[in-house]
Amino acid sequence: MSEHFPIVNPRIEDGLALSDATMVEFGDGCTDAMSIVPGEHEVGDRVPCPSCAGQHEISSALSIPIAHNISITEHEHEPGD
């Protein structure tokens, strides 16, 4: 999964570079069902939509940290792969 937004105010926790993001659902008719927007937001906030040029009101929100310094270097094969 690639990042679609810049790192905003990263902090280091247990060796991970984390930034705040919010998984949101818009309540005003935008067809983007669940989106991730940078920063911490609450229900009722208006934020720029990642899919269109407008701003939308958040109807549900879940704050999540995004880790930016993780890389997968090797894949372990499971039996049957």
Side-chain angles (χ1 to χ4, degrees):
M1 179 177 182
S2 63
E3 295 174 5
H4 298 285
F5 54 89
I7 299 172
V8 178
N9 299 323
R11 64 186 183 281
I12 303 297
E13 290 183 19
D14 297 323
L16 296 175
L18 301 174
S19 64
D20 295 321
T22 305
M23 187 181 327
V24 301
E25 187 165 354
F26 299 121
D28 55 2
C30 186
T31 58
D32 203 359
M34 289 299 246
S35 298
I36 297 177
V37 294
E40 287 192 56
H41 303 282
E42 296 180 1
V43 171
D45 290 352
R46 292 189 68 77
V47 296
C49 180
S51 298
C52 71
Q55 289 197 359
H56 302 295
E57 185 173 325
I58 297 172
S59 63
S60 65
L62 175 64
S63 293
I64 55 173
I66 302 290
H68 298 277
N69 61 340
I70 293 177
S71 61
I72 298 171
T73 58
E74 184 177 325
H75 171 76
E76 287 188 28
H77 292 281
E78 296 289 327
D81 273 357

